[in-house]
Amino acid sequence: MERNGDASVCVGRDGPIRHLRDGVRAVAAGRGGRILVEGEPGSGRTALLEVVTDEAARLGCRLLRATAHELGQRFPLRVLLDCLESGGEPLAAARAETVALLESGAPLPPGVTGAVTAAAESLAERISGLCRNSPTVLVVDDLQWADAPSLAVWRRLSEAADRLPLLLVAASRTTPRGGGPLARLRDGLLADGATLLSLAPLTAAGTARFAERTVGAPAGPRLLRHLAAAGGNPYYLREMLDALVRAQALETGAACVELAAEEPPLPVRAVAERLGFLPPEALTALRVAALLGDRFSVAELAAVQRCAPAELGGTVAAWRSAGIVEEAADGPLRFRHDVVRAALPAGLPGSLRSALHRQAAEALAGAGASAERVAGQLLPVVECPDAWAVGWLLRNAEALLRRDPGAAVRLAQRALDALDQDDPDRTALEKVLVGGRFRLRRPGSADAVRALRDRAAEPGRRAALTCWLILDLILEERTEEGLSEAEEALAGGGDRPADRFRALRAFLLWAGGGLREAGEAADRALAAVCEPGRADGLAEAYARYTRALLRGGAEALAEVELGLAAARRAPADVPDAEVGLTLLGARLLGGLARPDEAGAWLASARALVARTGAEGLLAHVDLLSATLHYRAGRWDDALEDLAAPKDLAPDLAPARSWPAGSTAAIAAHGLAALVLGSRDRPGEAAGRLASVERAELADVPPDAGFPYGGPVFPLLARALPAERDGCPREALEILLPLLGQPAAAGADREGDWLPDVVRLAVAEGVRDRAEAAVAAAEAAAERAPDDRHRQAVALHCRGLLGSDPGPLSAALTHYAACAVLTGQGRAFEDLAAVTAARGDTDGARAHLHRALDVYQGLGAAWDIARADARLRALGVRRGRRGHLHRPKSGWAALTPTEVKVARLVAEGRSNPEVAAALVLSPRTVQTHVSHILTKLGVRSRTEIARQAGSLRTERATDE
C-alpha cells in the first residue's frame, strides 16, 4: 500500500496556518508581531513552524531559527545563540561577541549574573539592529526548555516588535498555569498583543481526513475506531498508521481502507521515545498506572507501588505537566490518550506484565478496592489462578456476580480448568460459573445450568436451578424443552415453586403458538398468586406478560404496568420479565400514538440490561430499537442498532451477536436487508439475507420470538428484489405464507407487511388473497381499537382493496399520530395511485410528491424508482421539482436525526446527554457528531453551535 507521507501534515490546522502566513506577510511589509503556538507533544507544533520557514524564504525575510533543549537550560542564552548560528557567516561575528561577553571573567559563580546581563543586552541590541536592515523572523521551538535569560530577551524583543519589522514565533507545550518563567513570559506576550494559537486535538472528522491523506484512501469504520485511541494527537495517529502499514494490518477495499488484524499492533517504541523525557522513576510508575486501566486513583497507585500517596505527588505533577494524564470528571486520574495507556504495558515482557497484574490485584484487594477492580487485574494474569486468587474469587463471588458477571465467569472457568476433579473448591466454583453465565444470558448456558441442577440434592436448590434453566431455555428459544421442564417440575408438587412454573408454562405455550391454552394457563397462574400468602413476583410478572401478549392497546399496556410492578419484586438476578415487559410496553405505547413515552421505556430497558449485566438480552433491546427507528424513518439509527458484530468495537461484539437461527437473528438480518434493499444496495442486502436460510423461515410464526421475531422482515426483504426485477407475482408468493400462519392477538402482530400483500394481490388480480389480508388487518384492529398503528394498517389495506382515497387519507392521519414514517410514505404513494386511477392527475401528482419527499428523507432510492414507475404507468409524472438527492455538504446534507443531534450539541449538551434525550447509544451519537462535522466542514462542537446560530439568524431575517 502506498503511503502519502507528507499529505497529512497540518491536517485540521487551517486556521493556525493562515495566522502564521499572515504574520510573515505583515513583517515582510514592515509590521512586526508576536505569535505563540501551544499544544501537547505530538500536536504538530513543529510542522506548523515549517510553514513560517517556507513563507519567510518565499518573501525574502531573514530567518533565524533554533530549537531549545532541556540540557540547554544550563547554558545562558543558548537557544538565542543557536538562532544567530542559523543565520550563517554574516552573523558569526555577532555570535562570537556575545559568547565572549558570557565567558569574560570566568569562572564567576557570584558575578556571572553581570556577565549574562551584559551578554543579554548585547544580544537584544544585535537582533534589533538586524531588523533595521531587513524584515526578520525569529523562530524558537520547544520554548519550554529555554533558559531564563533567553526568555527575558524574548520579552524585551516582544516589547519592541511594534516598532520593528520583527516577527517573533515561539512554539511550546501548553503552558501550566500558576507561575514559572514560561508562564510569566506567556502572560507578558499576551499583554503585548501576541496571537495565541492553541492546537486542540483533531476532531473525529479531522482524524478521518488525516488517515485518508496518510494511507491514500478513506478509512473504514473499524480503522477509525482503532485510531480514536490517539485522542486526536497527530503524532500518535501517524505512528499508529505506520505500525499498521509495517505489520500489513490494513486491507484496501473498493470504497475504503479497513483494519484487517484482529489485534492491531501498537506503536510501542514510538510511545516510549515520546515519553523518554520523563525521569526513570516517573516512567516506571506510569507503566504501573497503565496496568490499572484508563482511570486510576493516586491511592490505588500508591497501594500497588507500596508507598504513601504523598510520595507520588511530584511524579503525578510531572505527568500532568507533560499532558499525559488529567483529572477525570468523576475524580480519578485518566490517560489523555488510550494509545499511551495501551502501549506502555505492551512494551513489557509478557511474564513481567503478568506478574505486575497479579501483584496489583493483591495490593488493591488489601486496600479495599471493589471486586470488579481486583478482577480486572486478575484477568490479564497468564498463569492459572493460584490459591490466593481462587480464595479471593470465592470470598467475593456474590459482589463480583452483581457488578461484573462476565469477569466472574472467566475467572471461575480458568480456575476450574486448572483444578483436579476431586478438588474441594470445584463445586463452589461451578456455582459461580453457572450463576455468572445465567446472569449474562449467553447462549448455551442452559446446558450448564441443567448439569448443575441434576447434581443438586437439596429440593429448594433444585427448584431454583430449574427456574434458571427454564428462563435460559426461553431465551435460547428451546420452547419444547422449556415446556417439558416446567411440566416435569409441576408434577413434583409444592405450592410456591408450582406457581412460578405455571406462569412460565403459560409463557412457553404462547411462545410455541398455543395461544388459547396459553391464555387459560396465564389466568390460572395469576389467580393462584393473587391468593393470600401466595405472592410471587416472578410468577405474577410472567402471567401478566403472557396476558399482555394476548391482548392489544391500552388493555395490554395495563397488564404490562401491573407485570412490571410484580417483576420488580422478583429476584434481582432475574431481569428477563422486566426487560421483556418494558420492551412490550414500548411497542404498545408506539401503537397508542405515544412515541416519546415509547422511547423513554426503550431507554429504561437498555439501562436495565446494562445495570444487571444481562448482555444476552441486549440483542432484543437493539432489535426493538431498530424496529422503532425503522418505522419512524431513522434508518441510519436502525442500521447502527443492527450492525454486525465484526463491525463493532471488541467490547460490544459479544453483546450484539445474534444467535444463529434464532428468531431474533432472523428478524435482525431481515430488517437490515430490508433497509439496504430499499436504499437500492442489493449486494449488501443479499449479504445480510445470506445469514438467514430459507428453511429457517418455513415453520416460524410471525409472532414467535422475544420481543419481535419471525420471518416478516426477511420475507419482505426477499420480496423486494423480486419486484424490482419485474416479477410482482413472485414477490407476492414470497409473502403469502404469512397469511397462513396463526393470527395472534398480541401486540407482536402489527401487520406492517399486510398493505404490501394487498397491493401486490390487487395488481396481480388475486382478489381472494387481498381480501384475506384485509380481513387479517381488520381483525387485529378490532381486537385493539385504541391502537392507532393497527387502525392505520387496516384502513390502508381497505383503501387499497376498494381503490378508495377515503380510508387511505384516514390511514395517513393514524400513521402520523404514531410517528410511523414508513407507513406514511407507502400510504401517500398508494393514495397517488388510487387518485390517478380516478382521473385526478393533479391530485395524484401532489400525493406522489409527498411520497417522494418521505422516501428522499429515508434515502429510499428503490422506493423512489418504484413510485415513479408505478405512477408513470398511470399517466402521472412528477414534473420539475429539482433533484431528489440530499446534498453532500451543508445543513441540507444532514439527516433528520443529525439535525436533532446538531441542535442539542449547539445547546452545549454532551454526547451522553444527547444520547439520553434522543434514546440513542453514546457511540451512535459520536458517529452522528462525526458526520455532522464532516458535512458542515467544521472542526469543533463550538463551530457547530456558531453555524446553528447563524442559520437561525438567517431564517429569522427571511421571515
Tab-separated table of all heavy atoms in Angstrom, residues 620-675:
chain	number	residue	atom	x	y	z
A	620	HIS	N	-32.107	-8.176	22.036
A	620	HIS	CA	-33.541	-7.926	21.918
A	620	HIS	C	-33.851	-6.440	22.068
A	620	HIS	O	-34.736	-5.911	21.398
A	620	HIS	CB	-34.291	-8.737	22.965
A	620	HIS	CG	-34.068	-10.211	22.826
A	620	HIS	ND1	-34.586	-10.947	21.786
A	620	HIS	CD2	-33.350	-11.083	23.576
A	620	HIS	CE1	-34.214	-12.209	21.912
A	620	HIS	NE2	-33.465	-12.315	22.985
A	621	VAL	N	-33.117	-5.774	22.942
A	621	VAL	CA	-33.301	-4.328	23.073
A	621	VAL	C	-32.912	-3.634	21.770
A	621	VAL	O	-33.620	-2.763	21.270
A	621	VAL	CB	-32.461	-3.782	24.244
A	621	VAL	CG1	-32.619	-2.273	24.365
A	621	VAL	CG2	-32.867	-4.449	25.550
A	622	ASP	N	-31.773	-4.038	21.205
A	622	ASP	CA	-31.329	-3.432	19.953
A	622	ASP	C	-32.306	-3.717	18.817
A	622	ASP	O	-32.529	-2.874	17.949
A	622	ASP	CB	-29.944	-3.961	19.579
A	622	ASP	CG	-28.850	-3.379	20.454
A	622	ASP	OD1	-29.039	-2.270	20.988
A	622	ASP	OD2	-27.813	-4.038	20.613
A	623	LEU	N	-32.888	-4.914	18.821
A	623	LEU	CA	-33.824	-5.276	17.762
A	623	LEU	C	-35.075	-4.413	17.833
A	623	LEU	O	-35.559	-3.903	16.807
A	623	LEU	CB	-34.179	-6.760	17.867
A	623	LEU	CG	-35.158	-7.303	16.817
A	623	LEU	CD1	-34.700	-6.954	15.413
A	623	LEU	CD2	-35.299	-8.810	16.971
A	624	LEU	N	-35.633	-4.243	19.018
A	624	LEU	CA	-36.812	-3.385	19.129
A	624	LEU	C	-36.446	-1.938	18.811
A	624	LEU	O	-37.203	-1.229	18.143
A	624	LEU	CB	-37.420	-3.474	20.526
A	624	LEU	CG	-38.651	-2.578	20.714
A	624	LEU	CD1	-39.753	-2.963	19.744
A	624	LEU	CD2	-39.163	-2.632	22.136
A	625	SER	N	-35.287	-1.487	19.286
A	625	SER	CA	-34.837	-0.136	18.970
A	625	SER	C	-34.751	0.055	17.462
A	625	SER	O	-35.207	1.068	16.916
A	625	SER	CB	-33.474	0.123	19.615
A	625	SER	OG	-32.975	1.392	19.255
A	626	ALA	N	-34.189	-0.930	16.767
A	626	ALA	CA	-34.082	-0.847	15.310
A	626	ALA	C	-35.456	-0.814	14.661
A	626	ALA	O	-35.688	-0.077	13.691
A	626	ALA	CB	-33.271	-2.026	14.780
A	627	THR	N	-36.393	-1.612	15.179
A	627	THR	CA	-37.743	-1.640	14.626
A	627	THR	C	-38.414	-0.282	14.764
A	627	THR	O	-39.032	0.227	13.817
A	627	THR	CB	-38.588	-2.713	15.336
A	627	THR	OG1	-37.948	-3.978	15.197
A	627	THR	CG2	-39.976	-2.800	14.742
A	628	LEU	N	-38.312	0.320	15.945
A	628	LEU	CA	-38.924	1.628	16.160
A	628	LEU	C	-38.244	2.694	15.311
A	628	LEU	O	-38.911	3.576	14.756
A	628	LEU	CB	-38.851	2.000	17.641
A	628	LEU	CG	-39.636	1.090	18.595
A	628	LEU	CD1	-39.474	1.561	20.036
A	628	LEU	CD2	-41.112	1.034	18.223
A	629	HIS	N	-36.909	2.630	15.209
A	629	HIS	CA	-36.200	3.577	14.347
A	629	HIS	C	-36.615	3.398	12.887
A	629	HIS	O	-36.777	4.387	12.163
A	629	HIS	CB	-34.688	3.373	14.478
A	629	HIS	CG	-34.097	3.936	15.730
A	629	HIS	ND1	-34.455	5.147	16.256
A	629	HIS	CD2	-33.140	3.432	16.571
A	629	HIS	CE1	-33.765	5.389	17.355
A	629	HIS	NE2	-32.965	4.354	17.574
A	630	TYR	N	-36.780	2.162	12.462
A	630	TYR	CA	-37.183	1.893	11.080
A	630	TYR	C	-38.537	2.524	10.789
A	630	TYR	O	-38.717	3.224	9.785
A	630	TYR	CB	-37.235	0.381	10.841
A	630	TYR	CG	-37.911	-0.007	9.538
A	630	TYR	CD1	-37.264	0.171	8.325
A	630	TYR	CD2	-39.197	-0.536	9.544
A	630	TYR	CE1	-37.882	-0.168	7.134
A	630	TYR	CE2	-39.827	-0.879	8.354
A	630	TYR	CZ	-39.168	-0.690	7.151
A	630	TYR	OH	-39.792	-1.020	5.973
A	631	ARG	N	-39.495	2.303	11.665
A	631	ARG	CA	-40.837	2.838	11.429
A	631	ARG	C	-40.862	4.361	11.466
A	631	ARG	O	-41.593	5.001	10.713
A	631	ARG	CB	-41.803	2.288	12.475
A	631	ARG	CG	-42.107	0.819	12.293
A	631	ARG	CD	-42.979	0.322	13.408
A	631	ARG	NE	-43.349	-1.062	13.209
A	631	ARG	CZ	-43.816	-1.847	14.158
A	631	ARG	NH1	-43.935	-1.380	15.396
A	631	ARG	NH2	-44.146	-3.093	13.900
A	632	ALA	N	-40.027	4.923	12.348
A	632	ALA	CA	-40.018	6.381	12.489
A	632	ALA	C	-39.193	7.063	11.403
A	632	ALA	O	-39.112	8.293	11.371
A	632	ALA	CB	-39.474	6.760	13.859
A	633	GLY	N	-38.580	6.271	10.521
A	633	GLY	CA	-37.809	6.857	9.428
A	633	GLY	C	-36.367	7.153	9.771
A	633	GLY	O	-35.672	7.806	8.988
A	634	ARG	N	-35.902	6.682	10.930
A	634	ARG	CA	-34.492	6.905	11.314
A	634	ARG	C	-33.691	5.663	10.893
A	634	ARG	O	-33.235	4.879	11.729
A	634	ARG	CB	-34.394	7.165	12.817
A	634	ARG	CG	-35.142	8.411	13.269
A	634	ARG	CD	-34.907	8.710	14.748
A	634	ARG	NE	-35.527	7.720	15.604
A	634	ARG	CZ	-36.747	7.812	16.105
A	634	ARG	NH1	-37.509	8.865	15.819
A	634	ARG	NH2	-37.238	6.872	16.893
A	635	TRP	N	-33.535	5.503	9.604
A	635	TRP	CA	-32.955	4.268	9.082
A	635	TRP	C	-31.472	4.133	9.407
A	635	TRP	O	-30.974	3.017	9.604
A	635	TRP	CB	-33.199	4.176	7.581
A	635	TRP	CG	-34.624	3.824	7.245
A	635	TRP	CD1	-35.676	3.770	8.118
A	635	TRP	CD2	-35.142	3.482	5.972
A	635	TRP	NE1	-36.824	3.412	7.452
A	635	TRP	CE2	-36.529	3.227	6.132
A	635	TRP	CE3	-34.599	3.378	4.703
A	635	TRP	CZ2	-37.359	2.868	5.078
A	635	TRP	CZ3	-35.410	3.020	3.642
A	635	TRP	CH2	-36.776	2.766	3.833
A	636	ASP	N	-30.746	5.241	9.436
A	636	ASP	CA	-29.329	5.146	9.801
A	636	ASP	C	-29.185	4.609	11.222
A	636	ASP	O	-28.306	3.787	11.510
A	636	ASP	CB	-28.654	6.519	9.692
A	636	ASP	CG	-28.513	6.977	8.258
A	636	ASP	OD1	-28.413	6.117	7.368
A	636	ASP	OD2	-28.504	8.200	8.018
A	637	ASP	N	-30.048	5.078	12.124
A	637	ASP	CA	-30.001	4.589	13.501
A	637	ASP	C	-30.393	3.117	13.569
A	637	ASP	O	-29.848	2.353	14.378
A	637	ASP	CB	-30.924	5.421	14.391
A	637	ASP	CG	-30.471	6.866	14.491
A	637	ASP	OD1	-29.260	7.104	14.365
A	637	ASP	OD2	-31.322	7.756	14.672
A	638	ALA	N	-31.351	2.718	12.739
A	638	ALA	CA	-31.748	1.310	12.715
A	638	ALA	C	-30.577	0.434	12.291
A	638	ALA	O	-30.303	-0.609	12.903
A	638	ALA	CB	-32.931	1.116	11.764
A	639	LEU	N	-29.863	0.835	11.253
A	639	LEU	CA	-28.704	0.051	10.801
A	639	LEU	C	-27.615	0.019	11.866
A	639	LEU	O	-26.916	-0.983	12.019
A	639	LEU	CB	-28.156	0.629	9.498
A	639	LEU	CG	-29.031	0.426	8.257
A	639	LEU	CD1	-28.426	1.130	7.055
A	639	LEU	CD2	-29.216	-1.060	7.953
A	640	GLU	N	-27.468	1.112	12.597
A	640	GLU	CA	-26.472	1.125	13.690
A	640	GLU	C	-26.843	0.105	14.755
A	640	GLU	O	-25.993	-0.618	15.278
A	640	GLU	CB	-26.414	2.528	14.296
A	640	GLU	CG	-25.284	2.742	15.278
A	640	GLU	CD	-23.945	2.930	14.601
A	640	GLU	OE1	-23.911	3.233	13.391
A	640	GLU	OE2	-22.927	2.751	15.282
A	641	ASP	N	-28.146	0.025	15.082
A	641	ASP	CA	-28.603	-0.963	16.059
A	641	ASP	C	-28.356	-2.382	15.578
A	641	ASP	O	-28.143	-3.289	16.384
A	641	ASP	CB	-30.106	-0.782	16.334
A	641	ASP	CG	-30.399	0.404	17.226
A	641	ASP	OD1	-29.549	0.751	18.059
A	641	ASP	OD2	-31.484	0.995	17.089
A	642	LEU	N	-28.413	-2.581	14.264
A	642	LEU	CA	-28.319	-3.921	13.700
A	642	LEU	C	-26.934	-4.233	13.161
A	642	LEU	O	-26.766	-5.212	12.425
A	642	LEU	CB	-29.336	-4.068	12.554
A	642	LEU	CG	-30.804	-3.882	12.953
A	642	LEU	CD1	-31.677	-3.760	11.715
A	642	LEU	CD2	-31.270	-5.021	13.824
A	643	ALA	N	-25.948	-3.418	13.521
A	643	ALA	CA	-24.598	-3.620	12.996
A	643	ALA	C	-24.111	-5.027	13.304
A	643	ALA	O	-24.317	-5.545	14.396
A	643	ALA	CB	-23.636	-2.592	13.588
A	644	ALA	N	-23.464	-5.632	12.324
A	644	ALA	CA	-22.905	-6.972	12.530
A	644	ALA	C	-21.772	-6.895	13.531
A	644	ALA	O	-21.053	-5.906	13.606
A	644	ALA	CB	-22.403	-7.535	11.200
A	645	PRO	N	-21.558	-7.945	14.335
A	645	PRO	CA	-20.524	-7.905	15.372
A	645	PRO	C	-19.143	-7.520	14.860
A	645	PRO	O	-18.416	-6.820	15.523
A	645	PRO	CB	-20.540	-9.320	15.934
A	645	PRO	CG	-21.926	-9.816	15.673
A	645	PRO	CD	-22.343	-9.178	14.374
A	646	LYS	N	-18.758	-7.956	13.667
A	646	LYS	CA	-17.403	-7.673	13.188
A	646	LYS	C	-17.197	-6.188	12.911
A	646	LYS	O	-16.066	-5.719	12.807
A	646	LYS	CB	-17.109	-8.466	11.915
A	646	LYS	CG	-17.954	-8.025	10.710
A	646	LYS	CD	-17.600	-8.828	9.476
A	646	LYS	CE	-18.426	-8.379	8.261
A	646	LYS	NZ	-18.079	-9.129	7.059
A	647	ASP	N	-18.304	-5.429	12.788
A	647	ASP	CA	-18.194	-4.007	12.547
A	647	ASP	C	-18.195	-3.202	13.829
A	647	ASP	O	-18.185	-1.984	13.798
A	647	ASP	CB	-19.353	-3.525	11.661
A	647	ASP	CG	-19.298	-4.159	10.281
A	647	ASP	OD1	-18.182	-4.443	9.823
A	647	ASP	OD2	-20.357	-4.385	9.676
A	648	LEU	N	-18.254	-3.865	14.977
A	648	LEU	CA	-18.359	-3.175	16.250
A	648	LEU	C	-17.040	-3.203	16.998
A	648	LEU	O	-16.156	-3.997	16.708
A	648	LEU	CB	-19.449	-3.828	17.119
A	648	LEU	CG	-20.852	-3.764	16.537
A	648	LEU	CD1	-21.776	-4.628	17.363
A	648	LEU	CD2	-21.362	-2.351	16.513
A	649	ALA	N	-16.930	-2.307	17.964
A	649	ALA	CA	-15.764	-2.335	18.842
A	649	ALA	C	-15.732	-3.665	19.583
A	649	ALA	O	-16.778	-4.233	19.891
A	649	ALA	CB	-15.840	-1.172	19.827
A	650	PRO	N	-14.538	-4.187	19.885
A	650	PRO	CA	-14.439	-5.523	20.504
A	650	PRO	C	-15.254	-5.673	21.774
A	650	PRO	O	-15.800	-6.731	22.045
A	650	PRO	CB	-12.937	-5.649	20.783
A	650	PRO	CG	-12.285	-4.745	19.797
A	650	PRO	CD	-13.234	-3.595	19.614
A	651	ASP	N	-15.367	-4.599	22.582
A	651	ASP	CA	-16.082	-4.745	23.844
A	651	ASP	C	-17.582	-4.802	23.661
A	651	ASP	O	-18.313	-5.105	24.587
A	651	ASP	CB	-15.735	-3.592	24.790
A	651	ASP	CG	-16.051	-2.235	24.193
A	651	ASP	OD1	-15.938	-2.108	22.963
A	651	ASP	OD2	-16.398	-1.315	24.946
A	652	LEU	N	-18.067	-4.492	22.445
A	652	LEU	CA	-19.506	-4.538	22.201
A	652	LEU	C	-19.932	-5.804	21.468
A	652	LEU	O	-21.089	-6.175	21.510
A	652	LEU	CB	-19.942	-3.324	21.367
A	652	LEU	CG	-19.785	-1.955	22.044
A	652	LEU	CD1	-20.151	-0.856	21.070
A	652	LEU	CD2	-20.673	-1.863	23.271
A	653	ALA	N	-18.997	-6.449	20.807
A	653	ALA	CA	-19.363	-7.561	19.934
A	653	ALA	C	-20.106	-8.691	20.635
A	653	ALA	O	-21.120	-9.154	20.121
A	653	ALA	CB	-18.120	-8.094	19.226
A	654	PRO	N	-19.676	-9.179	21.811
A	654	PRO	CA	-20.383	-10.310	22.414
A	654	PRO	C	-21.844	-10.000	22.708
A	654	PRO	O	-22.710	-10.841	22.540
A	654	PRO	CB	-19.600	-10.557	23.712
A	654	PRO	CG	-18.269	-9.968	23.474
A	654	PRO	CD	-18.515	-8.783	22.591
A	655	ALA	N	-22.114	-8.771	23.133
A	655	ALA	CA	-23.482	-8.430	23.489
A	655	ALA	C	-24.351	-8.220	22.262
A	655	ALA	O	-25.569	-8.219	22.364
A	655	ALA	CB	-23.491	-7.162	24.345
A	656	ARG	N	-23.730	-8.013	21.109
A	656	ARG	CA	-24.516	-7.688	19.934
A	656	ARG	C	-24.540	-8.825	18.918
A	656	ARG	O	-24.969	-8.627	17.802
A	656	ARG	CB	-23.930	-6.445	19.268
A	656	ARG	CG	-24.074	-5.193	20.105
A	656	ARG	CD	-25.506	-4.688	20.094
A	656	ARG	NE	-25.881	-4.291	18.761
A	656	ARG	CZ	-25.580	-3.102	18.224
A	656	ARG	NH1	-24.914	-2.231	18.919
A	656	ARG	NH2	-25.976	-2.797	17.006
A	657	SER	N	-24.068	-10.008	19.282
A	657	SER	CA	-24.095	-11.114	18.337
A	657	SER	C	-25.488	-11.725	18.334
A	657	SER	O	-26.113	-11.871	19.373
A	657	SER	CB	-23.043	-12.155	18.714
A	657	SER	OG	-23.219	-12.577	20.047
A	658	TRP	N	-25.960	-12.052	17.152
A	658	TRP	CA	-27.297	-12.625	17.014
A	658	TRP	C	-27.177	-14.142	16.964
A	658	TRP	O	-26.544	-14.682	16.063
A	658	TRP	CB	-27.954	-12.106	15.726
A	658	TRP	CG	-27.949	-10.616	15.657
A	658	TRP	CD1	-27.093	-9.832	14.949
A	658	TRP	CD2	-28.822	-9.727	16.348
A	658	TRP	NE1	-27.376	-8.511	15.150
A	658	TRP	CE2	-28.434	-8.417	16.008
A	658	TRP	CE3	-29.882	-9.913	17.233
A	658	TRP	CZ2	-29.085	-7.301	16.509
A	658	TRP	CZ3	-30.531	-8.809	17.730
A	658	TRP	CH2	-30.137	-7.514	17.376
A	659	PRO	N	-27.762	-14.875	17.931
A	659	PRO	CA	-27.644	-16.339	17.938
A	659	PRO	C	-28.133	-16.939	16.625
A	659	PRO	O	-29.250	-16.664	16.192
A	659	PRO	CB	-28.547	-16.749	19.109
A	659	PRO	CG	-28.626	-15.534	19.985
A	659	PRO	CD	-28.563	-14.368	19.053
A	660	ALA	N	-27.285	-17.714	15.991
A	660	ALA	CA	-27.609	-18.266	14.679
A	660	ALA	C	-28.918	-19.042	14.727
A	660	ALA	O	-29.132	-19.876	15.603
A	660	ALA	CB	-26.477	-19.172	14.202
A	661	GLY	N	-29.806	-18.761	13.773
A	661	GLY	CA	-31.051	-19.498	13.672
A	661	GLY	C	-32.154	-19.009	14.586
A	661	GLY	O	-33.296	-19.445	14.449
A	662	SER	N	-31.862	-18.111	15.519
A	662	SER	CA	-32.902	-17.630	16.429
A	662	SER	C	-33.833	-16.682	15.687
A	662	SER	O	-33.475	-16.090	14.664
A	662	SER	CB	-32.276	-16.915	17.618
A	662	SER	OG	-31.685	-15.687	17.202
A	663	THR	N	-35.056	-16.536	16.224
A	663	THR	CA	-35.984	-15.608	15.582
A	663	THR	C	-35.472	-14.179	15.691
A	663	THR	O	-35.747	-13.354	14.816
A	663	THR	CB	-37.376	-15.711	16.223
A	663	THR	OG1	-37.258	-15.528	17.636
A	663	THR	CG2	-38.006	-17.048	15.929
A	664	ALA	N	-34.715	-13.872	16.773
A	664	ALA	CA	-34.118	-12.542	16.868
A	664	ALA	C	-33.138	-12.322	15.722
A	664	ALA	O	-33.120	-11.259	15.103
A	664	ALA	CB	-33.413	-12.378	18.211
A	665	ALA	N	-32.307	-13.339	15.426
A	665	ALA	CA	-31.345	-13.222	14.325
A	665	ALA	C	-32.074	-13.096	12.988
A	665	ALA	O	-31.690	-12.299	12.129
A	665	ALA	CB	-30.425	-14.434	14.309
A	666	ILE	N	-33.132	-13.902	12.803
A	666	ILE	CA	-33.895	-13.845	11.558
A	666	ILE	C	-34.446	-12.442	11.340
A	666	ILE	O	-34.335	-11.857	10.259
A	666	ILE	CB	-35.030	-14.888	11.590
A	666	ILE	CG1	-34.448	-16.302	11.511
A	666	ILE	CG2	-36.015	-14.659	10.450
A	666	ILE	CD1	-35.470	-17.401	11.744
A	667	ALA	N	-35.060	-11.882	12.391
A	667	ALA	CA	-35.647	-10.550	12.266
A	667	ALA	C	-34.573	-9.490	12.063
A	667	ALA	O	-34.739	-8.569	11.257
A	667	ALA	CB	-36.487	-10.235	13.504
A	668	ALA	N	-33.452	-9.596	12.793
A	668	ALA	CA	-32.398	-8.582	12.707
A	668	ALA	C	-31.789	-8.529	11.310
A	668	ALA	O	-31.672	-7.461	10.702
A	668	ALA	CB	-31.320	-8.861	13.751
A	669	HIS	N	-31.382	-9.687	10.798
A	669	HIS	CA	-30.795	-9.702	9.454
A	669	HIS	C	-31.827	-9.294	8.407
A	669	HIS	O	-31.500	-8.612	7.431
A	669	HIS	CB	-30.241	-11.093	9.148
A	669	HIS	CG	-29.047	-11.463	9.967
A	669	HIS	ND1	-27.890	-10.720	9.982
A	669	HIS	CD2	-28.829	-12.497	10.836
A	669	HIS	CE1	-27.011	-11.280	10.788
A	669	HIS	NE2	-27.551	-12.354	11.327
A	670	GLY	N	-33.069	-9.706	8.616
A	670	GLY	CA	-34.104	-9.342	7.660
A	670	GLY	C	-34.371	-7.856	7.627
A	670	GLY	O	-34.543	-7.260	6.553
A	671	LEU	N	-34.434	-7.210	8.801
A	671	LEU	CA	-34.690	-5.770	8.840
A	671	LEU	C	-33.527	-5.001	8.219
A	671	LEU	O	-33.743	-4.041	7.454
A	671	LEU	CB	-34.920	-5.330	10.283
A	671	LEU	CG	-35.166	-3.832	10.504
A	671	LEU	CD1	-36.291	-3.324	9.616
A	671	LEU	CD2	-35.481	-3.548	11.966
A	672	ALA	N	-32.310	-5.408	8.527
A	672	ALA	CA	-31.159	-4.750	7.900
A	672	ALA	C	-31.204	-4.903	6.386
A	672	ALA	O	-30.956	-3.943	5.641
A	672	ALA	CB	-29.861	-5.332	8.454
A	673	ALA	N	-31.546	-6.098	5.910
A	673	ALA	CA	-31.637	-6.329	4.464
A	673	ALA	C	-32.747	-5.497	3.846
A	673	ALA	O	-32.618	-4.990	2.722
A	673	ALA	CB	-31.872	-7.816	4.188
A	674	LEU	N	-33.852	-5.326	4.563
A	674	LEU	CA	-34.974	-4.534	4.041
A	674	LEU	C	-34.566	-3.076	3.871
A	674	LEU	O	-34.874	-2.445	2.841
A	674	LEU	CB	-36.165	-4.653	4.997
A	674	LEU	CG	-37.434	-3.902	4.593
A	674	LEU	CD1	-37.936	-4.362	3.231
A	674	LEU	CD2	-38.518	-4.087	5.664
A	675	VAL	N	-33.870	-2.521	4.857
A	675	VAL	CA	-33.418	-1.130	4.747
A	675	VAL	C	-32.424	-0.986	3.600
A	675	VAL	O	-32.528	-0.076	2.768
A	675	VAL	CB	-32.787	-0.653	6.070
A	675	VAL	CG1	-32.124	0.713	5.896
A	675	VAL	CG2	-33.837	-0.590	7.164
